[in-house]
């Protein structure tokens, strides 16, 4: 098996960046979900409530990020220009993140038509994963990385009238597999030089029904409705596996993938 694709989402719910290689850090892939939109009251915004977020493109680097969205001028934000840390919440996790650039808040508010506040979290994050409390995590829903096998998507598409893409499921690592859902049984996996641990299956939600190219919700709630018919487990509707890294290094498209490490 080999690593087929690497996806990075610098802003929570933004359009994925497909890259040829990525640095694996304790918080996951470098630049992945380090930025997030808040509602100004400590809550967070995602494509579940605001599907147009999936059309936002982000180019992140060591000192900041450039944001692009349909009908909007480019927005450049430098981490050094952000204000002090303030309390934010992602599901049940309460922790501090940087914020404070008024121009960015107005830019996102204009684009989405709702009150927005841009937040950034770096390696100083105090947030930790639930199952592996020593592992730091940024603005991901619960765990730093998500992996899906290509055979799993092919099996799902064989059940759908209209096939979907990997972008519907927002993975970080896509592995070329021959058997559908074989990734579910991997306790550990080595990708290139980095060892990962399978923490739990990934529970799926309504966000999977948002078309990543058009930002439109599928009126038939696909592919979620089909998954509901045959992929129910302890985490609800499951598709893909959540990972934590057990080492640092670089992963590259084409790297050998070895279950068990």
């Amino acid at each position: 098996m080999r690593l087929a694709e690497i996806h990075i989402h610098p802003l929570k719910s933004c359009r994925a960046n497909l890259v040829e290689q990525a640095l694996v850090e304790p918080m996951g892939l470098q630049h992945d979900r380090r930025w997030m939109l808040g509602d100004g009251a400590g809550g967070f915004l995602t494509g579940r409530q605001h599907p147009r977020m999936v059309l936002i493109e982000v180019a992140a680097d060591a000192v900041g990020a450039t944001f692009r969205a349909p009908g909007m001028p480019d927005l450049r934000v430098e981490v050094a220009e952000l204000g002090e840390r303030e309390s934010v919440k992602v599901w049940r996790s309460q922790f501090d993140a940087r914020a404070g650039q008024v121009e960015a808040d107005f830019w996102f508010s204009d684009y989405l038509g709702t009150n927005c506040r841009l937040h950034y979290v770096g390696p100083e994050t105090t947030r930790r994963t639930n199952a592996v409390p020593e592992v730091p995590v940024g603005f991901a829903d619960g765990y730093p990385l998500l992996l899906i096998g290509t055979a799993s998507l092919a099996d799902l598409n064989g059940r759908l009238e209209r096939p979907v893409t990997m972008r519907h499921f927002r993975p970080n690592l896509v592995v070329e597999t021959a058997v559908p859902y074989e990734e579910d049984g991997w306790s550990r996996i080595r990708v290139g030089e980095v060892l990962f641990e399978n923490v739990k299956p990934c529970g799926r939600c309504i966000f999977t029904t948002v078309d990543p190219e058009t930002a439109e919700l599928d009126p038939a709630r696909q592919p979620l409705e089909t998954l509901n018919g045959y992929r129910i487990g302890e985490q609800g509707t499951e598709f893909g596996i959540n990972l934590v890294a057990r080492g640092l290094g670089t992963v590259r498209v084409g790297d050998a993938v070895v279950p068990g490490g």
Side-chain angles (χ1 to χ4, degrees):
M1 289 182 291
R2 69 179 188 90
L3 186 61
E5 296 176 1
I6 302 171
H7 298 231
I8 296 177
H9 310 86
L11 173 74
K12 188 176 181 68
S13 292
C14 76
R15 184 184 294 273
N17 295 336
L18 270 70
V19 299
E20 290 297 311
Q21 65 179 45
L23 180 64
V24 180
E25 301 176 329
M27 291 172 63
L29 300 186
Q30 185 181 45
H31 303 310
D32 188 66
R33 289 166 297 189
R34 303 300 199 263
W35 300 86
M36 181 184 77
L37 293 181
D39 60 9
F44 68 101
L45 307 180
T46 76
R48 300 172 185 88
Q49 309 95 349
H50 302 281
R52 293 183 69 213
M53 288 183 68
V54 303
L55 303 181
I56 298 173
E57 298 181 0
V58 188
D61 53 52
V63 296
T66 300
F67 300 87
R68 299 181 177 90
M72 301 292 292
D74 289 2
L75 170 70
R76 176 67 188 178
V77 179
E78 304 286 339
V79 172
E81 296 176 359
L82 297 176
E84 298 297 319
R85 292 188 294 175
E86 59 185 40
S87 181
V88 298
K89 191 172 184 180
V90 177
W91 300 118
R92 291 177 293 177
S93 298
Q94 190 113 25
F95 56 106
D96 288 346
R98 298 277 300 281
Q101 194 185 63
V102 175
E103 294 84 354
D105 296 345
F106 279 132
W107 191 92
F108 285 104
S109 297
D110 287 346
Y111 174 65
L112 292 179
T114 191
N115 188 46
C116 294
R117 187 158 176 81
L118 182 65
H119 298 279
Y120 171 82
V121 66
E124 73 282 355
T125 181
T126 59
R127 188 184 180 206
R128 296 293 183 267
T129 61
N130 292 330
V132 193
E134 71 273 17
V135 174
V137 62
F139 293 129
D141 273 359
Y143 294 90
L145 296 129
L146 172 65
L147 179 149
I148 299 175
T150 56
S152 302
L153 180 64
D155 179 78
L156 170 61
N157 279 334
R159 304 166 188 261
L160 297 173
E161 291 185 9
R162 295 176 56 194
V164 296
T165 69
M166 277 295 183
R167 288 182 183 268
H168 282 75
F169 299 100
R170 313 185 69 74
N172 295 113
L173 306 177
V174 178
V175 175
E176 192 176 84
T177 53
V179 179
Y181 316 108
E182 64 177 297
E183 61 269 24
D184 294 352
W186 299 340
S187 58
R188 292 197 169 196
I189 177 175
R190 183 173 295 279
V191 180
E193 60 190 41
V194 183
L195 182 66
F196 299 92
E197 181 180 344
N198 178 2
V199 180
K200 58 182 278 296
C202 182
R204 310 315 305 224
C205 69
I206 195 68
F207 197 11
T208 60
T209 71
V210 177
D211 189 317
E213 299 302 323
T214 66
E216 296 176 352
L217 278 78
D218 187 278
R221 290 171 51 93
Q222 296 294 356
L224 187 61
E225 283 298 316
T226 295
L227 286 170
N228 286 341
Y230 77 107
R231 288 291 297 172
I232 299 297
E234 293 183 1
Q235 306 302 318
T237 303
E238 299 174 351
F239 194 78
I241 56 175
N242 289 120
L243 306 177
V244 296
R246 290 306 192 184
L248 307 179
T250 300
V251 293
R252 299 174 177 83
V253 170
D255 275 350
V257 174
V258 182

